[in-house]
DNA sequence: CGCCCTTTTGATTATGGTCAAACGTTGTGG
DNA sequence: CCACAACGTTTGACCATAATCAAAAGGGCG
């Protein structure tokens, strides 16, 4: 199951490093919906990778909770090796989830032996900040476009790890949770989704997102997949990683 | 003048590395207001540090321009050493500005010789993503609080490099540019500033932000300086770096 | 002075928030 | 099996924040 991490960390890793990494992250931890993996204000903690389920980075913002990022299977939860401060945000599981946990000393040792791993992590990290910037840029769009954009992004990221195709994917999130990520109220998230449904762009049935015409949805959302490319090869050859 | 970069990169650098770095970034480049340092879509470019003036990272978002980050004196413009793709955003100068430019081959060599520099850069980069996350979290606040928060942030970041005190700082940005960073219209940026002025929290006179009572402004903005700490020591001892 | 850019103001519109209630589903316990 | 609680979804009415449009008023500069 840790293959999904290898898949995401990509073609850059030597077989030796891959082996090392798999050993290190063999320890599993299960999380229930709503359970925190790390809390805002904690001193920097253990390294994690998502194996199953969806988690989110979040901050408290007045009364509300602001969801800053979704963490999907294969994603690195941090903290980054160079970080040695206080965590500025929490990580919370939105579904039942399984994460791989790397004990601190083993992780340090692994980074030491597998020098290409440090670079691969940096690349993942740079990919994450590109998503973060895109989310901020999207804030100047109306809610329906933002919602469509978010669904396009989730689809593309899940596809990278083989969990989505062009027509549908599983999305066990509530409308409230989607709203928190878009910075809109639950009620408005609902109306927004209905608006998309009325336009026959997407439907959400039975915890699955169903897309009639992906190109049309992406056009509506002004979605350009470029910012999600993790490895340079993916820009021209998106499926290269999936092989 | 490149001292400001050393100051920001912080106490982590050995004297040798500092010397190396100063040599490498001795090449200066001047930018006029509105001039691009890098364009969205370019292949990854040259490394830059801001020495004077204010630049911004931006994306086009429909008709508008979304400002994603301000780059202040001492800030690293990227690209990050591990990044080798297409730039997902542009960098534009908002004022007259001076940047230090490190030719690619010298930069690579410098990173090789000064291994602590790579780490220092990562730390700066992590600081930048914390700001990015905070900006996103702020999007669920009303515009007046966001504006106040932005001013608090700019003040604190400028103070880190000795360009602000508790009472005022120079801010040669237009209300339009502030609005683009907050995701609000120019008109609303103006009304928001007036609202803050009416509450006697801040005034902007003659391109300077004047703060009557910093604590009061920060309280209104729900501003917690923690996310701006670059080095662990700064969390408890913010002035340690400034010495 | 006249031009351009920025700031300011007013009037109008629209996007999205809040409150409240109803409806559907699921899971639990009697 | 049903009753009930808990949660998520849906709907309506009303309100608030902010966008848009238009125009006037300053301000710096050739």
């Amino acid at each position: 199951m840790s293959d999904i991490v290898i898949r995401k960390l990509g073609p850059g890793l030597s077989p030796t490093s891959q082996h090392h990494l798999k050993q290190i992250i063999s320890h599993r931890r299960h999380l229930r919906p709503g359970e925190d993996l790390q809390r805002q204000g904690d001193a920097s903690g253990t390294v994690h990778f998502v194996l199953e389920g969806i988690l989110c980075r979040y901050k408290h913002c007045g009364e509300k909770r602001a969801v800053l990022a979704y963490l999907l299977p294969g994603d690195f939860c941090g903290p980054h090796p160079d970080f040695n401060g206080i965590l500025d945000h929490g990580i919370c599981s939105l579904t039942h989830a399984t994460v791989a946990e790397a004990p601190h000393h083993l992780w340090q040792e692994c980074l030491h032996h597998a020098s290409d791993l440090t670079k691969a992590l940096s690349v993942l990290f740079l990919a994450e900040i590109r998503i973060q910037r895109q989310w901020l840029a999207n804030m100047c769009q109306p809610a329906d476009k933002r919602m469509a954009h978010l669904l396009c992004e989730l689809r593309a990221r899940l596809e990278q790890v083989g969990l989505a195709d062009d027509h549908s994917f599983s999305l066990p999130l509530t409308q409230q949770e989607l709203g928190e990520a878009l910075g809109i109220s639950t009620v408005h998230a609902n109306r927004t989704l209905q608006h998309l449904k009325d336009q026959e762009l997407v439907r959400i049935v039975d915890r699955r997102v169903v897309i009639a015409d992906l190109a049309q949805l992406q056009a509506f959302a002004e979605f350009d997949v470029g910012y999600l490319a993790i490895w340079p090869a993916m820009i021209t050859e998106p499926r290269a990683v999936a092989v």
Side-chain angles (χ1 to χ4, degrees), chain A:
Chain A
M1 193 164 71
S2 57
D3 287 348
I4 207 162
V5 173
I6 301 297
R7 187 166 180 178
K8 189 105 186 186
L9 274 167
L13 282 186
S14 72
T16 326
S17 297
Q18 292 190 15
H19 183 73
H20 254 94
L21 180 61
K22 280 193 189 179
Q23 294 294 329
I24 297 302
I25 64 175
S26 61
H27 182 234
R28 301 293 157 78
R29 178 169 161 196
H30 182 81
L31 295 163
R32 322 185 149 278
E35 193 175 346
D36 272 323
L37 184 61
Q38 70 178 38
R39 278 177 207 278
Q40 184 172 352
D42 282 359
S44 121
T46 316
V47 159
H48 297 275
F49 287 90
V50 182
L51 298 181
E52 280 180 328
I54 302 182
L55 293 76
C56 71
R57 300 186 190 275
Y58 71 95
K59 282 197 179 203
H60 297 291
C61 187
E63 304 294 278
K64 306 157 200 157
R65 175 173 76 165
V67 168
L68 308 171
Y70 285 128
L71 297 170
L72 307 180
D75 283 345
F76 175 66
C77 299
H80 203 261
D82 296 313
F83 180 71
N84 50 359
I86 299 291
L87 297 168
D88 65 321
H89 65 276
I91 297 182
C92 175
S93 186
L94 299 174
T95 66
H96 282 280
T98 312
V99 297
E101 194 166 57
H104 188 69
H105 62 288
L106 287 180
W107 181 246
Q108 289 301 326
E109 206 180 324
C110 183
L111 286 177
H112 213 256
H113 289 307
S115 58
D116 56 345
L117 182 57
T118 305
K119 173 153 184 177
L121 274 181
S122 294
V123 170
L124 270 199
F125 191 66
L126 289 164
E128 195 182 342
I129 202 176
R130 286 207 302 280
I131 295 175
Q132 200 77 50
R133 288 209 184 98
Q134 184 63 51
W135 279 37
L136 188 60
N138 281 341
M139 294 306 291
C140 64
Q141 296 278 17
D144 52 355
K145 288 199 177 194
R146 290 221 299 283
M147 177 68 82
H149 199 283
L150 178 60
L151 295 177
C152 288
E153 178 187 306
L154 289 172
R155 197 210 64 82
R157 287 171 62 190
L158 288 169
E159 188 186 37
Q160 285 177 351
V161 288
L163 294 174
D165 60 33
D166 286 2
H167 302 298
S168 77
F169 60 96
S170 165
L171 188 69
L173 300 181
T174 66
Q175 296 181 359
Q176 184 180 56
E177 286 157 350
L178 288 171
E180 286 171 332
L182 298 174
I184 61 179
S185 67
T186 309
V187 173
H188 201 58
N190 179 277
R191 297 204 159 108
T192 300
L193 281 171
Q194 278 185 264
H195 186 209
L196 294 178
K197 187 178 161 190
D198 292 345
Q199 293 179 274
E200 300 191 345
L201 289 168
V202 275
R203 282 171 302 145
I204 299 194
V205 235
D206 204 25
R207 317 264 99 185
R208 288 187 71 80
V209 175
V210 181
I211 302 165
D213 180 348
L214 181 57
Q216 204 180 333
L217 179 65
Q218 293 183 342
F220 174 78
E222 297 175 39
F223 177 81
D224 173 3
V225 77
Y227 77 101
L228 292 177
I230 301 176
W231 307 96
M234 294 176 74
I235 296 168
T236 47
E237 202 71 55
R239 306 307 167 92
V241 167
V243 174

